Amino acid sequence: LQIAVVVVVPFILLGQVLGRCGGSEFFTDLARAWMGRYRGGSAKVAVAGSALFGMISDSAVANVSAVGVVTIPLMKRSGYPAQIAAAIEAVGSTGGQLMPPIMGAAAFLMAEVLQVPYVEVMIAAIIPAFLYYLALFFQVDVEAAKRGIRGEPAGRLPQLLAVLRSGWYFPIPFIALVYTLVAWNWPAEYSALAATAILIGLSLVFGYKGRRVPLREVLRAVVSTGSAVVDLILICAVAGMFIGILNITGLAFGLTLQLLTITGQSLPAMLVVTAVMAIILGLGLPTVGVYIIMATLIAPALVKVGVAPMAAHMFLLYFGIMSMVTPPVALSAFAAAN
């Protein structure tokens, strides 16, 4: 609960402020200027835009809401069926929980469980996040080739230099965030608050596309942060009780022994069992819930058979993230369908 309140809330505030200050529009425009003219450009815009906005939004549903409102109609106009367009955006937004520098809430909990600085979790996620979006990029390119979908006409696309001139300051808060985390070794929550303060100051002075952000929008971002974190705080509070019960009763230790016995301490067998359990949990739980249960019950068994602790927890995080597109709940897909 302490991690949810002290560490995660400042990062959610940063994402909410960025959305109110035009950040989601900037990243979508940047993706359109960069990718829009290529084959299946509208879907590649969705992938690139989701990756860029995912760097600062730790919520897959918020990512769908901010980026998908532009990219899904674009994909439909260019020839993608509605369900394919929504699916591309849902999967692209889900990967945002794996995108440094601001990953999902589960990543902050991972740093606490492993007793390592958050920056180590962030570094461990860089290559997997790149591979995730590269695979998705190839998939939408193949889909576009199959359906004969071309890029947007150049006249309908924003100009890259114009987009960068209008929103040149948006990267500055994230440079500050990473620098204070890595160079100054600040606690993650202080880095997030510093980045938020820089973003608010720049937005009030410059604005995006000539529109300065009124102070009331910043206040609305604070209010929307409160409503956005209610579910997360409840999940983390219950998860804390769950972990406490498992530790007090010794059930977590007992389950680790049972898993080692069932799989014969075979790493491939352990990974298959772990994956199946995570998928079953992901049928009805959000990322944080899946990760907390798996980290408490399964991670010790993976470590026992020789997996490095960081690798074991990242493996569990990947399957936790997939809960956002695992039916029947699939919150990302639900948001994209709307």
Side-chain angles (χ1 to χ4, degrees):
L1 186 60
Q2 183 180 0
I3 295 299
V5 174
V6 175
V7 181
V8 178
V9 170
F11 281 90
I12 293 177
L13 174 62
L14 175 57
Q16 293 288 335
V17 170
L18 189 77
R20 297 277 179 176
C21 294
S24 57
E25 185 182 356
F26 167 73
F27 286 121
T28 305
D29 287 345
L30 188 63
R32 288 186 67 201
W34 181 26
M35 291 287 172
R37 64 184 182 276
Y38 298 113
R39 178 175 68 188
S42 56
K44 291 172 183 174
V45 166
V47 174
S50 297
L52 290 170
F53 191 66
M55 294 172 70
I56 49 82
S57 168
D58 74 335
S59 167
V61 174
N63 204 334
V64 171
S65 302
V67 179
V69 70
V70 175
T71 59
I72 292 174
L74 274 179
M75 285 187 273
K76 287 170 66 178
R77 281 203 302 269
S78 64
Y80 285 96
Q83 69 271 22
I84 298 290
I88 290 169
E89 183 55 54
V91 176
S93 295
T94 295
Q97 295 176 94
L98 194 60
M99 277 295 289
I102 304 175
M103 299 164 63
F108 297 101
L109 294 170
M110 185 194 298
E112 176 68 13
V113 171
L114 291 173
Q115 292 293 293
V116 299
Y118 170 67
V119 69
E120 290 189 22
V121 178
M122 189 174 76
I123 291 168
I126 291 172
I127 293 175
F130 172 75
L131 293 175
Y132 180 98
Y133 279 104
L134 186 65
L136 183 56
F137 191 86
F138 286 154
Q139 181 65 28
V140 299
D141 187 65
V142 169
E143 192 71 31
K146 185 171 72 176
R147 298 178 183 276
I149 298 172
R150 298 182 178 179
E152 288 189 79
R156 282 168 45 185
L157 293 171
Q159 296 297 311
L160 182 60
L161 288 177
V163 173
L164 291 174
R165 269 199 302 269
S166 298
W168 59 270
Y169 62 88
F170 279 119
I172 293 176
F174 306 107
I175 294 170
L177 174 70
V178 174
Y179 187 80
T180 53
L181 277 172
V182 176
W184 292 353
N185 201 28
W186 279 15
E189 60 272 23
Y190 292 171
S191 298
L193 289 172
T196 304
I198 292 169
L199 176 61
I200 291 172
L202 291 171
S203 298
L204 290 173
V205 173
F206 298 105
Y208 182 53
K209 293 183 177 177
R211 299 192 302 270
R212 292 185 182 179
V213 179
L215 194 58
R216 65 176 177 274
E217 284 299 314
V218 178
L219 296 176
R220 284 175 183 165
V222 176
V223 174
S224 62
T225 300
S227 59
V229 301
V230 169
D231 288 348
L232 177 65
I233 289 173
L234 287 172
I235 290 167
C236 288
V238 175
M241 287 187 272
F242 176 78
I243 292 169
I245 291 167
L246 288 173
N247 289 335
I248 289 168
T249 59
L251 182 60
F253 179 72
L255 186 61
T256 298
L257 289 178
Q258 292 296 327
L259 277 170
L260 291 170
T261 304
I262 292 168
T263 59
Q265 299 198 28
S266 165
L267 179 56
M270 182 72 74
L271 292 176
V272 170
V273 170
T274 300
V276 170
M277 290 181 68
I279 290 167
I280 292 170
L281 284 171
L283 296 176
L285 287 175
T287 302
V288 174
V290 177
Y291 171 74
I292 282 289
I293 294 172
M294 298 297 287
T296 308
L297 296 178
I298 310 297
L302 289 173
V303 174
K304 282 280 187 185
V305 295
V307 180
M310 180 67 77
H313 283 261
M314 290 299 284
F315 182 77
L316 301 176
L317 178 63
Y318 303 147
F319 280 98
I321 286 170
M322 288 302 106
S323 68
M324 300 305 291
V325 285
T326 303
V329 178
L331 292 177
S332 285
F334 183 80
N338 287 336

PDB file of all heavy atoms in Angstrom, residues 33-65:
ATOM      1  N   ALA A  33       3.523  11.936 -38.377  1.00  0.00           N
ATOM      2  CA  ALA A  33       4.529  12.557 -39.240  1.00  0.00           C
ATOM      3  C   ALA A  33       5.650  11.586 -39.581  1.00  0.00           C
ATOM      4  O   ALA A  33       6.226  11.622 -40.672  1.00  0.00           O
ATOM      5  CB  ALA A  33       5.094  13.799 -38.550  1.00  0.00           C
ATOM      6  N   TRP A  34       5.940  10.677 -38.653  1.00  0.00           N
ATOM      7  CA  TRP A  34       7.055   9.749 -38.799  1.00  0.00           C
ATOM      8  C   TRP A  34       6.678   8.521 -39.621  1.00  0.00           C
ATOM      9  O   TRP A  34       7.426   8.052 -40.487  1.00  0.00           O
ATOM     10  CB  TRP A  34       7.524   9.348 -37.387  1.00  0.00           C
ATOM     11  CG  TRP A  34       8.689   8.422 -37.306  1.00  0.00           C
ATOM     12  CD1 TRP A  34       9.687   8.269 -38.227  1.00  0.00           C
ATOM     13  CD2 TRP A  34       8.980   7.519 -36.238  1.00  0.00           C
ATOM     14  NE1 TRP A  34      10.587   7.319 -37.793  1.00  0.00           N
ATOM     15  CE2 TRP A  34      10.177   6.847 -36.577  1.00  0.00           C
ATOM     16  CE3 TRP A  34       8.360   7.228 -35.028  1.00  0.00           C
ATOM     17  CZ2 TRP A  34      10.748   5.885 -35.746  1.00  0.00           C
ATOM     18  CZ3 TRP A  34       8.934   6.283 -34.207  1.00  0.00           C
ATOM     19  CH2 TRP A  34      10.116   5.626 -34.571  1.00  0.00           C
ATOM     20  N   MET A  35       5.460   7.980 -39.383  1.00  0.00           N
ATOM     21  CA  MET A  35       5.083   6.683 -39.954  1.00  0.00           C
ATOM     22  C   MET A  35       3.913   6.739 -40.931  1.00  0.00           C
ATOM     23  O   MET A  35       3.651   5.751 -41.627  1.00  0.00           O
ATOM     24  CB  MET A  35       4.682   5.720 -38.814  1.00  0.00           C
ATOM     25  CG  MET A  35       5.829   5.294 -37.944  1.00  0.00           C
ATOM     26  SD  MET A  35       6.885   4.138 -38.824  1.00  0.00           S
ATOM     27  CE  MET A  35       8.239   4.001 -37.668  1.00  0.00           C
ATOM     28  N   GLY A  36       3.197   7.842 -40.959  1.00  0.00           N
ATOM     29  CA  GLY A  36       1.922   7.871 -41.669  1.00  0.00           C
ATOM     30  C   GLY A  36       1.999   7.569 -43.155  1.00  0.00           C
ATOM     31  O   GLY A  36       1.057   7.047 -43.739  1.00  0.00           O
ATOM     32  N   ARG A  37       3.128   7.896 -43.821  1.00  0.00           N
ATOM     33  CA  ARG A  37       3.190   7.759 -45.277  1.00  0.00           C
ATOM     34  C   ARG A  37       3.519   6.337 -45.735  1.00  0.00           C
ATOM     35  O   ARG A  37       3.430   6.040 -46.925  1.00  0.00           O
ATOM     36  CB  ARG A  37       4.226   8.733 -45.848  1.00  0.00           C
ATOM     37  CG  ARG A  37       5.657   8.468 -45.420  1.00  0.00           C
ATOM     38  CD  ARG A  37       6.576   9.566 -45.971  1.00  0.00           C
ATOM     39  NE  ARG A  37       7.971   9.353 -45.627  1.00  0.00           N
ATOM     40  CZ  ARG A  37       8.524   9.712 -44.486  1.00  0.00           C
ATOM     41  NH1 ARG A  37       7.768  10.296 -43.557  1.00  0.00           N
ATOM     42  NH2 ARG A  37       9.809   9.505 -44.241  1.00  0.00           N
ATOM     43  N   TYR A  38       3.909   5.461 -44.824  1.00  0.00           N
ATOM     44  CA  TYR A  38       4.334   4.112 -45.217  1.00  0.00           C
ATOM     45  C   TYR A  38       3.138   3.170 -45.357  1.00  0.00           C
ATOM     46  O   TYR A  38       2.027   3.482 -44.912  1.00  0.00           O
ATOM     47  CB  TYR A  38       5.327   3.538 -44.198  1.00  0.00           C
ATOM     48  CG  TYR A  38       6.597   4.338 -44.093  1.00  0.00           C
ATOM     49  CD1 TYR A  38       6.915   5.038 -42.935  1.00  0.00           C
ATOM     50  CD2 TYR A  38       7.488   4.411 -45.170  1.00  0.00           C
ATOM     51  CE1 TYR A  38       8.086   5.782 -42.841  1.00  0.00           C
ATOM     52  CE2 TYR A  38       8.658   5.149 -45.089  1.00  0.00           C
ATOM     53  CZ  TYR A  38       8.950   5.835 -43.921  1.00  0.00           C
ATOM     54  OH  TYR A  38      10.107   6.565 -43.838  1.00  0.00           O
ATOM     55  N   ARG A  39       3.368   1.994 -45.974  1.00  0.00           N
ATOM     56  CA  ARG A  39       2.331   0.976 -46.128  1.00  0.00           C
ATOM     57  C   ARG A  39       1.726   0.635 -44.761  1.00  0.00           C
ATOM     58  O   ARG A  39       2.433   0.371 -43.806  1.00  0.00           O
ATOM     59  CB  ARG A  39       2.954  -0.284 -46.743  1.00  0.00           C
ATOM     60  CG  ARG A  39       1.975  -1.436 -46.919  1.00  0.00           C
ATOM     61  CD  ARG A  39       2.623  -2.599 -47.635  1.00  0.00           C
ATOM     62  NE  ARG A  39       3.665  -3.237 -46.818  1.00  0.00           N
ATOM     63  CZ  ARG A  39       4.486  -4.184 -47.274  1.00  0.00           C
ATOM     64  NH1 ARG A  39       4.415  -4.566 -48.539  1.00  0.00           N
ATOM     65  NH2 ARG A  39       5.376  -4.727 -46.476  1.00  0.00           N
ATOM     66  N   GLY A  40       0.388   0.653 -44.728  1.00  0.00           N
ATOM     67  CA  GLY A  40      -0.285   0.422 -43.444  1.00  0.00           C
ATOM     68  C   GLY A  40       0.081   1.478 -42.429  1.00  0.00           C
ATOM     69  O   GLY A  40       0.123   1.202 -41.222  1.00  0.00           O
ATOM     70  N   GLY A  41       0.310   2.693 -42.908  1.00  0.00           N
ATOM     71  CA  GLY A  41       0.832   3.756 -42.044  1.00  0.00           C
ATOM     72  C   GLY A  41      -0.030   4.052 -40.841  1.00  0.00           C
ATOM     73  O   GLY A  41       0.478   4.331 -39.758  1.00  0.00           O
ATOM     74  N   SER A  42      -1.354   3.965 -41.010  1.00  0.00           N
ATOM     75  CA  SER A  42      -2.241   4.297 -39.889  1.00  0.00           C
ATOM     76  C   SER A  42      -2.037   3.331 -38.725  1.00  0.00           C
ATOM     77  O   SER A  42      -2.056   3.727 -37.557  1.00  0.00           O
ATOM     78  CB  SER A  42      -3.697   4.267 -40.361  1.00  0.00           C
ATOM     79  OG  SER A  42      -4.009   3.007 -40.931  1.00  0.00           O
ATOM     80  N   ALA A  43      -1.831   2.030 -39.047  1.00  0.00           N
ATOM     81  CA  ALA A  43      -1.594   1.048 -37.980  1.00  0.00           C
ATOM     82  C   ALA A  43      -0.209   1.245 -37.372  1.00  0.00           C
ATOM     83  O   ALA A  43      -0.021   1.061 -36.159  1.00  0.00           O
ATOM     84  CB  ALA A  43      -1.738  -0.370 -38.526  1.00  0.00           C
ATOM     85  N   LYS A  44       0.765   1.614 -38.199  1.00  0.00           N
ATOM     86  CA  LYS A  44       2.111   1.872 -37.671  1.00  0.00           C
ATOM     87  C   LYS A  44       2.108   3.121 -36.793  1.00  0.00           C
ATOM     88  O   LYS A  44       2.852   3.202 -35.809  1.00  0.00           O
ATOM     89  CB  LYS A  44       3.101   1.998 -38.819  1.00  0.00           C
ATOM     90  CG  LYS A  44       3.336   0.666 -39.526  1.00  0.00           C
ATOM     91  CD  LYS A  44       4.168   0.805 -40.778  1.00  0.00           C
ATOM     92  CE  LYS A  44       4.300  -0.558 -41.464  1.00  0.00           C
ATOM     93  NZ  LYS A  44       4.983  -0.464 -42.770  1.00  0.00           N
ATOM     94  N   VAL A  45       1.247   4.078 -37.131  1.00  0.00           N
ATOM     95  CA  VAL A  45       1.066   5.250 -36.267  1.00  0.00           C
ATOM     96  C   VAL A  45       0.524   4.804 -34.905  1.00  0.00           C
ATOM     97  O   VAL A  45       0.969   5.286 -33.858  1.00  0.00           O
ATOM     98  CB  VAL A  45       0.106   6.271 -36.926  1.00  0.00           C
ATOM     99  CG1 VAL A  45      -0.363   7.311 -35.912  1.00  0.00           C
ATOM    100  CG2 VAL A  45       0.775   6.950 -38.103  1.00  0.00           C
ATOM    101  N   ALA A  46      -0.437   3.864 -34.926  1.00  0.00           N
ATOM    102  CA  ALA A  46      -1.007   3.354 -33.673  1.00  0.00           C
ATOM    103  C   ALA A  46       0.060   2.687 -32.828  1.00  0.00           C
ATOM    104  O   ALA A  46       0.124   2.895 -31.609  1.00  0.00           O
ATOM    105  CB  ALA A  46      -2.139   2.376 -33.980  1.00  0.00           C
ATOM    106  N   VAL A  47       0.915   1.888 -33.470  1.00  0.00           N
ATOM    107  CA  VAL A  47       1.978   1.190 -32.735  1.00  0.00           C
ATOM    108  C   VAL A  47       2.980   2.196 -32.171  1.00  0.00           C
ATOM    109  O   VAL A  47       3.324   2.161 -30.982  1.00  0.00           O
ATOM    110  CB  VAL A  47       2.686   0.162 -33.639  1.00  0.00           C
ATOM    111  CG1 VAL A  47       3.882  -0.458 -32.920  1.00  0.00           C
ATOM    112  CG2 VAL A  47       1.715  -0.925 -34.077  1.00  0.00           C
ATOM    113  N   ALA A  48       3.469   3.101 -33.036  1.00  0.00           N
ATOM    114  CA  ALA A  48       4.468   4.082 -32.592  1.00  0.00           C
ATOM    115  C   ALA A  48       3.881   5.040 -31.562  1.00  0.00           C
ATOM    116  O   ALA A  48       4.529   5.359 -30.552  1.00  0.00           O
ATOM    117  CB  ALA A  48       5.001   4.861 -33.798  1.00  0.00           C
ATOM    118  N   GLY A  49       2.650   5.498 -31.792  1.00  0.00           N
ATOM    119  CA  GLY A  49       2.011   6.418 -30.848  1.00  0.00           C
ATOM    120  C   GLY A  49       1.771   5.770 -29.497  1.00  0.00           C
ATOM    121  O   GLY A  49       1.982   6.387 -28.450  1.00  0.00           O
ATOM    122  N   SER A  50       1.356   4.496 -29.510  1.00  0.00           N
ATOM    123  CA  SER A  50       1.135   3.777 -28.247  1.00  0.00           C
ATOM    124  C   SER A  50       2.446   3.586 -27.496  1.00  0.00           C
ATOM    125  O   SER A  50       2.486   3.676 -26.270  1.00  0.00           O
ATOM    126  CB  SER A  50       0.486   2.419 -28.523  1.00  0.00           C
ATOM    127  OG  SER A  50      -0.786   2.586 -29.095  1.00  0.00           O
ATOM    128  N   ALA A  51       3.526   3.305 -28.246  1.00  0.00           N
ATOM    129  CA  ALA A  51       4.830   3.135 -27.606  1.00  0.00           C
ATOM    130  C   ALA A  51       5.296   4.447 -26.985  1.00  0.00           C
ATOM    131  O   ALA A  51       5.777   4.485 -25.846  1.00  0.00           O
ATOM    132  CB  ALA A  51       5.856   2.631 -28.616  1.00  0.00           C
ATOM    133  N   LEU A  52       5.148   5.563 -27.728  1.00  0.00           N
ATOM    134  CA  LEU A  52       5.601   6.864 -27.228  1.00  0.00           C
ATOM    135  C   LEU A  52       4.776   7.305 -26.026  1.00  0.00           C
ATOM    136  O   LEU A  52       5.324   7.738 -25.012  1.00  0.00           O
ATOM    137  CB  LEU A  52       5.515   7.914 -28.345  1.00  0.00           C
ATOM    138  CG  LEU A  52       6.526   7.770 -29.482  1.00  0.00           C
ATOM    139  CD1 LEU A  52       6.179   8.706 -30.635  1.00  0.00           C
ATOM    140  CD2 LEU A  52       7.937   8.056 -28.995  1.00  0.00           C
ATOM    141  N   PHE A  53       3.441   7.196 -26.144  1.00  0.00           N
ATOM    142  CA  PHE A  53       2.601   7.610 -25.019  1.00  0.00           C
ATOM    143  C   PHE A  53       2.729   6.630 -23.858  1.00  0.00           C
ATOM    144  O   PHE A  53       2.605   7.008 -22.696  1.00  0.00           O
ATOM    145  CB  PHE A  53       1.140   7.724 -25.455  1.00  0.00           C
ATOM    146  CG  PHE A  53       0.264   8.402 -24.437  1.00  0.00           C
ATOM    147  CD1 PHE A  53       0.456   9.737 -24.120  1.00  0.00           C
ATOM    148  CD2 PHE A  53      -0.749   7.722 -23.788  1.00  0.00           C
ATOM    149  CE1 PHE A  53      -0.323  10.377 -23.168  1.00  0.00           C
ATOM    150  CE2 PHE A  53      -1.546   8.337 -22.841  1.00  0.00           C
ATOM    151  CZ  PHE A  53      -1.341   9.672 -22.535  1.00  0.00           C
ATOM    152  N   GLY A  54       3.005   5.350 -24.195  1.00  0.00           N
ATOM    153  CA  GLY A  54       3.208   4.354 -23.149  1.00  0.00           C
ATOM    154  C   GLY A  54       4.419   4.625 -22.287  1.00  0.00           C
ATOM    155  O   GLY A  54       4.508   4.149 -21.151  1.00  0.00           O
ATOM    156  N   MET A  55       5.379   5.415 -22.809  1.00  0.00           N
ATOM    157  CA  MET A  55       6.564   5.758 -22.029  1.00  0.00           C
ATOM    158  C   MET A  55       6.211   6.606 -20.813  1.00  0.00           C
ATOM    159  O   MET A  55       6.979   6.652 -19.849  1.00  0.00           O
ATOM    160  CB  MET A  55       7.577   6.507 -22.905  1.00  0.00           C
ATOM    161  CG  MET A  55       8.165   5.652 -24.023  1.00  0.00           C
ATOM    162  SD  MET A  55       9.168   6.601 -25.188  1.00  0.00           S
ATOM    163  CE  MET A  55      10.595   6.997 -24.168  1.00  0.00           C
ATOM    164  N   ILE A  56       5.045   7.267 -20.852  1.00  0.00           N
ATOM    165  CA  ILE A  56       4.686   8.140 -19.730  1.00  0.00           C
ATOM    166  C   ILE A  56       3.336   7.785 -19.125  1.00  0.00           C
ATOM    167  O   ILE A  56       2.945   8.362 -18.132  1.00  0.00           O
ATOM    168  CB  ILE A  56       4.703   9.634 -20.143  1.00  0.00           C
ATOM    169  CG1 ILE A  56       3.930   9.872 -21.444  1.00  0.00           C
ATOM    170  CG2 ILE A  56       6.117  10.109 -20.299  1.00  0.00           C
ATOM    171  CD1 ILE A  56       2.480  10.006 -21.320  1.00  0.00           C
ATOM    172  N   SER A  57       2.616   6.847 -19.729  1.00  0.00           N
ATOM    173  CA  SER A  57       1.327   6.428 -19.180  1.00  0.00           C
ATOM    174  C   SER A  57       1.449   4.983 -18.732  1.00  0.00           C
ATOM    175  O   SER A  57       1.704   4.098 -19.539  1.00  0.00           O
ATOM    176  CB  SER A  57       0.225   6.553 -20.239  1.00  0.00           C
ATOM    177  OG  SER A  57      -0.947   5.893 -19.814  1.00  0.00           O
ATOM    178  N   ASP A  58       1.265   4.733 -17.451  1.00  0.00           N
ATOM    179  CA  ASP A  58       1.420   3.364 -16.958  1.00  0.00           C
ATOM    180  C   ASP A  58       0.121   2.575 -17.037  1.00  0.00           C
ATOM    181  O   ASP A  58       0.034   1.466 -16.536  1.00  0.00           O
ATOM    182  CB  ASP A  58       1.952   3.369 -15.520  1.00  0.00           C
ATOM    183  CG  ASP A  58       0.895   3.792 -14.514  1.00  0.00           C
ATOM    184  OD1 ASP A  58      -0.043   4.516 -14.923  1.00  0.00           O
ATOM    185  OD2 ASP A  58       0.997   3.419 -13.331  1.00  0.00           O
ATOM    186  N   SER A  59      -0.896   3.150 -17.668  1.00  0.00           N
ATOM    187  CA  SER A  59      -2.201   2.500 -17.753  1.00  0.00           C
ATOM    188  C   SER A  59      -2.518   2.153 -19.203  1.00  0.00           C
ATOM    189  O   SER A  59      -2.545   3.038 -20.067  1.00  0.00           O
ATOM    190  CB  SER A  59      -3.288   3.421 -17.200  1.00  0.00           C
ATOM    191  OG  SER A  59      -4.568   2.948 -17.538  1.00  0.00           O
ATOM    192  N   ALA A  60      -2.765   0.872 -19.471  1.00  0.00           N
ATOM    193  CA  ALA A  60      -3.105   0.448 -20.830  1.00  0.00           C
ATOM    194  C   ALA A  60      -4.427   1.064 -21.281  1.00  0.00           C
ATOM    195  O   ALA A  60      -4.573   1.486 -22.434  1.00  0.00           O
ATOM    196  CB  ALA A  60      -3.178  -1.079 -20.877  1.00  0.00           C
ATOM    197  N   VAL A  61      -5.394   1.144 -20.369  1.00  0.00           N
ATOM    198  CA  VAL A  61      -6.705   1.700 -20.723  1.00  0.00           C
ATOM    199  C   VAL A  61      -6.579   3.189 -21.036  1.00  0.00           C
ATOM    200  O   VAL A  61      -7.167   3.686 -22.004  1.00  0.00           O
ATOM    201  CB  VAL A  61      -7.714   1.452 -19.586  1.00  0.00           C
ATOM    202  CG1 VAL A  61      -9.041   2.159 -19.868  1.00  0.00           C
ATOM    203  CG2 VAL A  61      -7.948  -0.039 -19.408  1.00  0.00           C
ATOM    204  N   ALA A  62      -5.785   3.925 -20.240  1.00  0.00           N
ATOM    205  CA  ALA A  62      -5.565   5.351 -20.518  1.00  0.00           C
ATOM    206  C   ALA A  62      -4.873   5.538 -21.857  1.00  0.00           C
ATOM    207  O   ALA A  62      -5.175   6.482 -22.601  1.00  0.00           O
ATOM    208  CB  ALA A  62      -4.739   5.977 -19.397  1.00  0.00           C
ATOM    209  N   ASN A  63      -3.961   4.638 -22.176  1.00  0.00           N
ATOM    210  CA  ASN A  63      -3.252   4.696 -23.453  1.00  0.00           C
ATOM    211  C   ASN A  63      -4.230   4.514 -24.615  1.00  0.00           C
ATOM    212  O   ASN A  63      -4.200   5.261 -25.599  1.00  0.00           O
ATOM    213  CB  ASN A  63      -2.181   3.599 -23.479  1.00  0.00           C
ATOM    214  CG  ASN A  63      -1.050   3.909 -24.438  1.00  0.00           C
ATOM    215  OD1 ASN A  63      -1.223   4.643 -25.402  1.00  0.00           O
ATOM    216  ND2 ASN A  63       0.106   3.328 -24.200  1.00  0.00           N
ATOM    217  N   VAL A  64      -5.125   3.535 -24.501  1.00  0.00           N
ATOM    218  CA  VAL A  64      -6.141   3.316 -25.537  1.00  0.00           C
ATOM    219  C   VAL A  64      -7.015   4.564 -25.684  1.00  0.00           C
ATOM    220  O   VAL A  64      -7.311   5.012 -26.799  1.00  0.00           O
ATOM    221  CB  VAL A  64      -7.022   2.100 -25.195  1.00  0.00           C
ATOM    222  CG1 VAL A  64      -8.209   2.003 -26.146  1.00  0.00           C
ATOM    223  CG2 VAL A  64      -6.212   0.813 -25.278  1.00  0.00           C
ATOM    224  N   SER A  65      -7.419   5.124 -24.549  1.00  0.00           N
ATOM    225  CA  SER A  65      -8.323   6.274 -24.578  1.00  0.00           C
ATOM    226  C   SER A  65      -7.658   7.496 -25.207  1.00  0.00           C
ATOM    227  O   SER A  65      -8.290   8.232 -25.972  1.00  0.00           O
ATOM    228  CB  SER A  65      -8.785   6.615 -23.155  1.00  0.00           C
ATOM    229  OG  SER A  65      -9.426   5.497 -22.573  1.00  0.00           O
TER     230      SER A  65
END
